[in-house]
Amino acid sequence: KFPMLTITSISSDWSIWAPRLTGDFTVNLMADKIEDSFKSNSTPIKVDWSPIPNKAISTAIKIIATHGASDIDKTKEVFTEPPTGLLGICNYVSGSTILILFVCHSGKQSDSFFVHKLESMIDKLMSTGIEAIIAPCWPLHVDIAATYINLFLNAIHALPNFNFFHIHWETLGKLRELNPDPAVWANLHYYGNPQVIINKSYPNTL
């Protein structure tokens, strides 16, 4: 039997950190597309384009859009263009309930040589109090990130309140209709509490 999980209810309060000010072309392209999706869906989002996340920007749902290497399960760090380079993000996500990681390989898990458990950045982030994370297990194309967010926000507007896991699964189904290649639609995995309920209220303004 699975243990009973707490039903967590949060507001639809979004923010994004993408280190655009480093001049990274890929990060800028992805951030532009994601921001356009929020604007087209009339959904407020706080933005942070600084090279290092601003700890003061704390929202229930936080998007992180930057680079991740294939050994991210070991380093547990994302990376940006210089001068920041490698960055541990656990210190910058306090106060958030949900993380959406548009970071290549960030959902990857591997056996640990030293302890009898899987190593992953997901595990480290969960230890900070994050309840649910969406992350790719392999390289993520910028168009997949933008399309996912657009479909996700469309689904939000169809319901007054919604289960985050359910909407994620529905969004993957829509992605599969657009492209049946599992490398596309099945990349973004859900980790954590499947009973996070999001109320459709927008406490912030653009």
Side-chain angles (χ1 to χ4, degrees):
K1 293 183 178 180
F2 291 100
M4 293 296 292
L5 293 167
T6 302
I7 297 177
T8 300
S9 182
I10 62 175
S11 63
S12 184
D13 183 21
W14 295 78
S15 67
I16 180 173
W17 172 69
R20 299 182 65 176
L21 296 182
T22 62
D24 187 299
F25 175 79
T26 303
V27 168
N28 272 276
L29 181 61
M30 179 161 53
D32 271 341
K33 289 176 177 287
I34 292 170
E35 190 175 23
D36 285 346
S37 292
F38 276 87
K39 288 179 178 178
S40 64
N41 281 278
S42 301
T43 303
I45 183 171
K46 294 179 180 178
V47 300
D48 178 9
W49 307 139
S50 58
I52 296 176
N54 183 347
K55 289 185 179 181
I57 299 179
S58 178
T59 54
I61 311 167
K62 192 175 191 71
I63 299 171
I64 293 177
T66 188
H67 297 289
S70 59
D71 63 347
I72 196 171
D73 52 314
K74 305 294 186 184
T75 66
K76 301 175 180 62
E77 294 177 317
V78 301
F79 72 88
T80 72
E81 291 290 327
T84 304
L86 287 173
L87 178 69
I89 58 172
C90 289
N91 294 329
Y92 301 97
V93 296
S94 62
S96 295
T97 303
I98 294 170
L99 281 184
I100 299 178
L101 301 177
F102 291 138
V103 179
C104 292
H105 306 286
S106 55
K108 182 183 176 184
Q109 302 179 67
S110 61
D111 291 331
S112 172
F113 181 77
F114 300 102
V115 293
H116 295 293
K117 70 173 186 177
L118 293 175
E119 279 197 297
S120 70
M121 189 168 73
I122 300 298
D123 184 58
K124 187 171 183 178
L125 287 166
M126 287 286 189
S127 71
T128 68
I130 301 295
E131 290 203 32
I133 298 174
I134 290 171
C137 287
W138 48 83
L140 179 73
H141 194 281
V142 294
D143 287 340
I144 298 175
T147 303
Y148 175 89
I149 281 295
N150 195 52
L151 293 171
F152 196 98
L153 293 174
N154 286 340
I156 289 175
H157 286 287
L159 296 169
N161 301 296
F162 62 91
N163 177 288
F164 192 73
F165 174 77
H166 174 73
I167 295 298
H168 167 71
W169 187 250
E170 291 291 323
T171 300
L172 293 188
K174 295 293 184 181
L175 274 176
R176 187 176 185 179
E177 292 175 10
L178 295 174
N179 191 324
D181 184 351
V184 174
W185 69 266
N187 192 1
L188 291 163
H189 289 59
Y190 189 103
Y191 304 87
N193 184 0
Q195 297 290 352
V196 178
I197 308 299
I198 304 179
N199 303 310
K200 195 174 72 174
S201 59
Y202 305 127
N204 300 321
T205 57
L206 288 171

